[in-house]
Amino acid sequence: MSAGAAVAVPQAAQAPIHARLCGVTRVFEGKLSVHALGPLDLDLARGEFFAVVGPSGCGKTTLMDLIAGLSAPTEGSITFEDKPVEGEVPDGIGAVFQEDASFPWLTVRDNIAFGLRRAGVDAAEIARRVDYVIGFMGLRDFATAYPAQLSGGMRQRVCIARTLVLQPRLILLDEPFGALDQQTRLLMGDELLRLWRETGATILLITHALDEAAMLSDRVGVMSARPGRFIDIITTGWARERDSAIVADPAFGAVTARLWSLLRSESLKAIGAKGA
């Protein structure tokens, strides 16, 4: 597949298109103009789990910012639920970042309720949603705790819960488990898959971890060195009811090996570019 080619949803996974990127390019202007991303095209099917991997500096986080409406593309268009994304966060999209974004002066319950209160949601509805999400994310015993009293994995659960309580239909995740140890990442991956199945949300995950991408995703988009383009889309073929036990499956090793075979040369290009 050519670097700028459109990425179609596999026939076996046909579903309504939830988000679409057409000819998207991002150039950062300044003393030194940086062509960070594209052109690229992507269709995200409603309810799919899509991961993006690529070498450092290839524009993965830029891609997420564009879909979230946090910045605008230099060229091309982005739509979510057939409506243009034009430089502001659309209703129905939620984002979770790698950095711990919890407020240290608020309890777990108040952290989760923060966005709803800011949006002026009725107090009874806030209580109902927050109670549900606290239970769903296994945080009931920690509802009155402060972030400093929690482990890294628990704090990240709070950040995910704070997004989930807003009931997004598209969840964007930028390295949400990057700071966690391998075992905790696998277990958090299981929680994320459960969340995906039970909410029916579409998920786009940015990650550096090939095993994480391979385990969690229906499809994995592999990006080139900067400017980032999709050089391949790999369909994993996993059942929807998967969990971290899949890492013992020989097919899992084949998927991660294919990802690395694609990424190795692109990573070497990125390293060479940095040293130039």
Side-chain angles (χ1 to χ4, degrees):
M1 183 179 71
S2 64
V7 180
V9 178
Q11 195 67 31
Q14 284 294 342
I17 301 303
H18 208 185
R20 169 168 284 167
L21 290 77
C22 295
V24 168
T25 297
R26 184 70 168 102
V27 177
F28 293 96
E29 302 289 356
K31 290 184 178 179
L32 180 63
S33 179
V34 177
H35 183 181
L37 189 72
L40 56 79
D41 303 304
L42 177 66
D43 286 346
L44 289 177
R46 184 180 293 273
E48 83 165 311
F49 199 128
F50 189 92
V52 178
V53 297
S56 295
C58 73
K60 296 187 295 297
T61 297
T62 299
L63 173 63
M64 179 172 147
D65 288 347
L66 292 171
I67 297 173
L70 298 174
S71 62
T74 305
E75 295 181 358
S77 64
I78 302 172
T79 58
F80 170 63
E81 297 179 344
D82 297 323
K83 297 177 182 178
V85 176
E86 297 179 324
E88 61 181 36
V89 180
D91 178 57
I93 295 182
V96 179
F97 299 94
Q98 178 177 353
E99 295 80 11
D100 179 6
S102 58
F103 299 118
W105 60 90
L106 296 179
T107 65
V108 165
R109 177 177 293 278
D110 288 336
N111 260 287
I112 295 170
F114 180 84
L116 295 176
R117 288 174 178 157
R118 189 174 183 181
V121 176
D122 175 79
E125 176 66 6
I126 291 175
R128 185 189 68 79
R129 287 202 208 177
V130 171
D131 284 345
Y132 171 78
V133 170
I134 282 177
F136 183 85
M137 294 301 296
L139 295 167
R140 201 170 299 283
D141 292 342
F142 304 92
T144 59
Y146 289 88
Q149 298 172 300
L150 305 177
S151 67
M154 293 298 291
R155 286 196 299 274
Q156 197 62 317
R157 284 192 188 193
V158 173
C159 294
I160 293 172
R162 196 168 67 186
T163 296
L164 185 60
V165 79
L166 300 174
Q167 299 179 342
R169 299 179 296 280
L170 171 60
I171 302 174
L172 307 174
L173 304 167
D174 187 7
E175 292 279 352
F177 310 138
L180 306 179
D181 62 78
Q182 177 72 7
Q183 295 89 339
T184 304
R185 279 177 47 228
L186 287 172
L187 294 175
M188 289 296 292
D190 285 344
E191 291 297 315
L192 183 55
L193 286 169
R194 180 173 67 94
L195 182 158
W196 169 63
R197 286 190 293 266
E198 295 195 19
T199 63
T202 305
I203 292 183
L204 183 140
L205 169 71
I206 305 294
T207 181
H208 280 95
L210 303 189
D211 57 344
E212 189 170 88
M215 174 185 121
L216 295 174
S217 307
D218 297 316
R219 296 190 297 155
V220 183
V222 182
M223 292 183 71
S224 68
R226 190 179 71 236
R229 300 174 174 89
F230 286 116
I231 58 174
D232 203 356
I233 302 290
I234 296 174
T235 301
T236 61
W238 309 137
R240 191 170 178 86
E241 294 296 324
R242 58 188 175 270
D243 60 27
S244 57
I246 205 168
V247 301
D249 190 318
F252 177 84
V255 171
T256 54
R258 185 177 173 193
L259 290 173
W260 176 238
S261 70
L262 290 164
L263 271 180
R264 184 176 184 276
S265 61
E266 296 301 321
S267 297
L268 288 172
K269 289 178 189 176
I271 292 171
K274 287 179 181 179

